[in-house]
Amino acid sequence: MSDPADFSSFPFFQGPLAQLVDTGGPVMVVLLALAVVGTVTFFYLMLSGTLYAPRLSRQLKHTLRRWEDNPNSVDPRHLRQRVGFRDRMNPLFHLVTDTIEARWKRIDGHQIRETAARDAQHALEPFEAPLKIIEVIAALAPLLGLLGTVMGMMEAFSAMAATEGRANATQLSGGIYEALTTTAAGLVVAIPFAALAAWIEFRLRRIHKTINSTLVTVLSVGENTGSQPEDSAQIGERDNAGSSGEQADGYDITGKQRFAHATG
């Protein structure tokens, strides 16, 4: 029966990996595991971002232009019926249509802002946990390398103490080499993941800015014009009125402050 501590007996730890594990010891196994977890997390985050990240699509830009020109020409029910697969997976599309629908229903402006802020925060939540995992790996890897350095130096001085200070360079080289190897491996793992974490955070900030500017565009139409779009029933009542000339009551979003931050 093989020794459980002998990692080279596993098929995965063969060739160069077996040499790294033999040289770096248990700390090297942990560093390799962190590298695998971080790589899988990164690809998962990229796949999730491709499918579910809020984005300002061409159709959404066209809808916003129509909304700014004439709010009455934008019907959220028709938008949901004509939406394609990509926009159906786009959280920003649902944020815009829900906000426009709330304006149609004459919901209080403060409540619209609170609902939009909550929904925008929920749209970014799936990306926070993978980013945190990558940040933790980038922070832990150098510390684990330092731990391997300490363990290697302890082994070297232990060999020296066993020979009462008469240890030669060959006896000390194993521990020192282990110390240097784990330190280098910790930095090799930490540096790329630290760069990836910074890049992902930058991308999330841009998505956050896109969500804010889009919702500001939707909400500022009512503030600038002092009116809200009329639904089909209101338009029909106005047409039936004929010579009465009465129009639907205007609607102002409560307060003069623009929706500057959708998610915070």
Side-chain angles (χ1 to χ4, degrees):
M1 184 175 180
S2 61
D3 186 1
D6 187 9
F7 295 102
S8 62
S9 61
F10 294 95
F12 180 76
F13 294 104
Q14 299 294 331
L17 288 179
Q19 184 178 0
L20 281 176
V21 172
D22 291 338
T23 302
V27 174
M28 187 64 68
V29 177
V30 179
L31 288 173
L32 290 175
L34 287 179
V36 172
V37 171
T39 303
V40 172
T41 303
F42 173 73
F43 282 107
Y44 166 78
L45 186 58
M46 292 298 98
L47 180 61
S48 299
T50 302
L51 296 177
Y52 304 109
R55 57 190 176 277
L56 194 60
S57 62
R58 182 181 303 176
Q59 181 178 355
L60 202 53
K61 291 179 181 179
H62 177 66
T63 301
L64 292 176
R65 285 195 296 268
R66 289 173 51 201
W67 174 258
E68 290 179 310
D69 295 339
N70 182 15
N72 293 324
S73 65
V74 180
D75 189 343
R77 293 167 296 185
H78 294 166
L79 290 176
R80 294 191 182 99
Q81 293 174 357
R82 298 194 306 265
V83 68
F85 174 77
R86 291 295 302 274
D87 282 329
R88 191 178 297 112
M89 305 290 290
N90 185 4
L92 186 55
F93 174 82
H94 297 287
L95 276 171
V96 171
T97 54
D98 291 344
T99 304
I100 292 176
E101 186 174 17
R103 295 288 311 282
W104 278 81
K105 295 180 179 180
R106 297 191 176 189
I107 298 177
D108 180 71
H110 181 68
Q111 183 178 352
I112 294 177
R113 288 184 176 89
E114 289 183 348
T115 303
R118 183 180 65 251
D119 293 342
Q121 183 64 33
H122 290 168
L124 295 177
E125 282 181 356
F127 307 100
E128 294 178 356
L131 174 60
K132 183 59 65 176
I133 291 175
I134 293 177
E135 289 177 343
V136 169
I137 291 175
L140 281 182
L143 298 179
L144 288 171
L146 179 60
L147 176 61
T149 299
V150 174
M151 294 175 62
M153 297 305 296
M154 289 175 61
E155 180 179 344
F157 285 111
S158 177
M160 182 181 296
T163 57
E164 298 180 355
R166 294 189 297 272
N168 53 33
T170 302
Q171 293 174 319
L172 296 176
S173 61
I176 297 176
Y177 187 48
E178 177 180 339
L180 296 176
T181 302
T182 55
T183 301
L187 293 176
V188 167
V189 172
I191 292 173
F193 282 114
L196 288 176
W199 178 74
I200 294 170
E201 185 175 359
F202 170 75
R203 293 289 299 172
L204 290 179
R205 288 182 180 275
R206 290 194 62 180
I207 293 174
H208 181 209
K209 183 178 179 180
T210 300
I211 294 175
N212 286 333
S213 61
T214 302
L215 293 179
V216 164
T217 301
V218 175
L219 293 173
S220 62
V221 170
E223 292 178 342
N224 295 334
T225 63
S227 63
Q228 108 170 23
E230 300 170 306
D231 58 20
S232 57
Q234 292 173 328
I235 294 175
E237 292 176 359
R238 186 187 64 185
D239 293 339
N240 293 334
S243 59
S244 62
E246 295 180 355
Q247 297 183 355
D249 293 336
Y251 174 76
D252 291 329
I253 294 180
T254 303
K256 298 299 181 183
Q257 183 179 2
R258 290 172 62 111
F259 188 81
H261 297 283
T263 61

